[in-house]
Amino acid sequence: MGYVTGKTIKELREKRKFTQRELAEKIGVSDKTVSKWETEKGLPDIGIIGDLSKALGISIAELLTGDLRENENQAANMKKMCFYVCPVCGNIITSVGRGNFSCCGITLPEAEAEQTEEDHPIRIETVDDEYFVTMGHPMKKEHYISFFAYVTSDRAGLIKLYPEQDAAARFRKKGHGILYAYCNRHGLFKTVI
């Protein structure tokens, strides 16, 4: 991992419309110190990084890497849920909106959902007040459905599956939503219900 750069500090300070003096006052240093950082004649002490990131309105990771992420999901609608799956250990990370996640030393890309296809059809039956979801899919150690997820505008349910199990799950009906299925070889599939 790198360390914060003067260019990053200057860009963020200007974006927040702070003068060097205003930023300095927020973190308890002199404006000359901020100037030294921005001209790369010095570096902020590790002990001040937390205060600096807070004053600039970003995470410590963003400050250190210079990889700035804008939150494009202000409404936090659950249907904007994103899935990140580790190819090494199979961990599943979900977020409402995009994020930057890593597992097993790998930065995880967002799983891009495709519409269900002939090889991965999702079957949905209504049984009382539940959706019974199935897939005619192999469930072997090397090729299986890892999870099903049912996402509506205000909630999400995820059921983890394992090889040698049936590719089936039950979800309580909660209105219109999106049903996801994740194949460990072919990725994420979705269908609207």
Side-chain angles (χ1 to χ4, degrees):
M1 176 178 276
Y3 199 71
V4 64
T5 66
K7 179 181 176 212
T8 300
I9 295 170
K10 184 176 181 178
E11 285 177 4
L12 290 167
R13 178 184 60 77
E14 289 175 346
K15 185 176 182 180
R16 303 289 186 275
K17 299 188 181 352
F18 294 153
T19 64
Q20 287 180 342
R21 181 178 300 272
E22 290 170 329
L23 178 59
E25 288 172 359
K26 288 182 178 295
I27 59 176
V29 298
S30 73
D31 57 332
K32 290 182 181 181
T33 300
V34 173
S35 176
K36 286 180 183 177
W37 296 341
E38 290 183 1
T39 57
E40 309 225 346
K41 294 180 179 156
L43 294 170
D45 184 78
I46 192 73
I48 203 165
I49 293 295
D51 293 335
L52 182 59
S53 68
K54 186 176 178 184
L56 294 171
I58 61 169
S59 70
I60 293 173
E62 289 173 309
L63 181 62
L64 292 176
T65 64
D67 184 16
L68 309 177
R69 302 287 175 150
E70 291 295 324
N71 184 358
E72 299 167 358
N73 186 23
Q74 299 296 331
N77 182 329
M78 292 297 285
K79 286 185 182 176
K80 294 181 181 179
M81 180 168 278
C82 299
F83 298 90
Y84 302 83
V85 182
C86 179
V88 177
C89 69
N91 276 343
I92 304 160
I93 299 170
T94 61
S95 68
V96 180
R98 291 184 173 92
N100 191 9
F101 303 99
S102 63
C103 187
C104 297
I106 301 167
T107 299
L108 303 177
E110 177 187 345
E112 190 173 320
E114 299 177 32
Q115 292 298 325
T116 57
E117 57 183 35
E118 199 174 290
D119 293 340
H120 292 85
I122 300 173
R123 290 184 211 87
I124 304 164
E125 295 176 51
T126 301
V127 179
D128 296 324
D129 62 344
E130 292 183 325
Y131 289 122
F132 180 57
V133 181
T134 58
M135 287 183 81
H137 191 280
M139 291 296 283
K140 306 288 184 196
K141 205 169 201 169
E142 63 280 348
H143 189 194
Y144 63 96
I145 297 298
S146 175
F147 68 85
F148 284 118
Y150 172 46
V151 180
T152 64
S153 61
D154 66 346
R155 64 190 69 206
L158 187 138
I159 297 177
K160 177 74 173 117
L161 302 173
Y162 298 94
E164 311 303 326
Q165 258 185 299
D166 290 335
R170 290 184 180 272
F171 294 98
R172 185 168 303 279
K173 288 174 68 173
K174 297 292 181 186
H176 296 290
I178 303 169
L179 186 71
Y180 294 93
Y182 186 84
C183 171
N184 74 320
R185 283 200 175 178
H186 300 104
L188 191 64
F189 295 92
K190 70 177 180 179
T191 189
V192 178
I193 53 174

